[in-house]
């Protein structure tokens, strides 16, 4: 089977970026529950199959942690009841189709182009563990984010990073 796509950014000493290794079992799950847009989880359970087959800009998010928004029309008929098993959004990481889950061909279900947003992606002072937002550290950190995405085989493209909020946005071709 194809490896899972896991995008992770570690705050620590300025190292951040995509990673294609499975998360260790001790990786904490995000505190908040997965939310969906444009329909809530409850609405997804009651809308018609025709609606589930053609959701425009489907999004899964954990408030204050991150989100994944799939571009265009997404068919979620076969996965709507399994979102918690297929998508993990935790502090500084997003994982779609983790090991042990069925991953469709590129272009189908959630294995298609998406915009990923992660919050609180900031370089931290080594001793104080406080964010470094000065011009020099911010520029170096953003360049590391860009290089890690470019060096990966994840087919991901850096879109933006805000040094004050830590909001990092990148686009993936598929998971």
């Amino acid at each position: 089977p194809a490896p899972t796509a896991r995008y992770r950014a570690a705050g620590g000493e300025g190292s951040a970026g995509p990673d294609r290794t499975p998360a260790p079992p001790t990786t904490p799950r995000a505190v908040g529950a997965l939310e969906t847009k444009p329909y809530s989880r409850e609405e997804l359970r009651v809308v018609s199959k025709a609606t589930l087959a053609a959701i425009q800009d489907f999004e899964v998010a954990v408030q204050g942690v991150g989100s994944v928004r799939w571009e265009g029309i997404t068919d979620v008929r076969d996965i709507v009841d399994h979102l918690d098993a297929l998508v993990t959004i935790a502090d500084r990481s997003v994982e779609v189709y983790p090991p042990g889950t069925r991953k469709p061909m590129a272009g189908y279900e959630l294995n298609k182009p998406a915009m990923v947003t992660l919050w609180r992606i900031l370089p931290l002072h080594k001793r104080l563990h406080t964010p470094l937002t000065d011009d020099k550290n911010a520029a170096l950190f953003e360049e590391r984010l860009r290089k890690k995405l470019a060096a990966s085989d994840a087919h991901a493209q850096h879109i933006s990073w805000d040094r004050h909020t830590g909001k990092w946005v990148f686009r993936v071709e598929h998971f």
Side-chain angles (χ1 to χ4, degrees):
T4 184
R6 181 164 194 261
Y7 298 92
R8 183 173 179 280
E13 299 169 13
S15 63
D19 178 278
R20 281 183 124 10
T21 59
T26 58
T27 299
R29 185 129 167 101
V31 174
L34 285 179
E35 300 173 0
T36 57
K37 294 180 187 177
Y39 300 100
S40 69
R41 299 288 294 268
E42 295 77 25
E43 291 169 328
L44 288 174
R45 288 184 189 83
V46 297
V47 297
S48 69
K49 289 285 187 185
T51 300
L52 291 175
I55 296 181
Q56 181 71 37
D57 295 332
F58 182 64
E59 183 174 351
V60 174
V62 172
Q63 191 167 2
V65 178
S67 65
V68 182
R69 182 180 51 82
W70 287 271
E71 302 171 346
I73 301 294
T74 302
D75 182 351
V76 298
R77 287 176 294 182
D78 295 333
I79 60 172
V80 71
D81 294 328
H82 311 289
L83 285 174
D84 289 315
L86 298 176
V87 180
T88 300
I89 301 173
D91 195 31
R92 295 183 305 274
S93 71
V94 169
E95 186 173 26
V96 178
Y97 296 114
T101 60
R102 180 191 64 81
K103 181 176 175 180
M105 291 176 23
Y108 293 93
E109 294 176 355
L110 304 180
N111 196 16
K112 55 182 257 165
M115 294 294 284
V116 176
T117 301
L118 294 173
W119 290 91
R120 297 187 317 262
I121 307 302
L122 295 166
L124 299 177
H125 188 280
K126 289 180 184 180
R127 284 182 292 120
L128 302 176
H129 300 290
T130 56
L132 299 170
T133 57
D134 62 275
D135 289 343
K136 180 182 176 185
N137 282 302
L140 289 171
F141 188 75
E142 185 170 16
E143 187 58 30
R144 285 187 190 120
L145 292 175
R146 288 176 185 274
K147 285 181 179 179
K148 295 238 180 196
L149 284 178
S152 75
D153 59 349
H155 306 288
Q157 174 190 11
H158 174 83
I159 303 297
S160 65
W161 175 69
D162 183 299
R163 73 181 184 178
H164 300 290
T165 64
K167 178 182 177 183
W168 182 28
V169 180
F170 56 95
R171 183 179 188 279
V172 298
E173 287 299 317
H174 60 83
F175 292 94

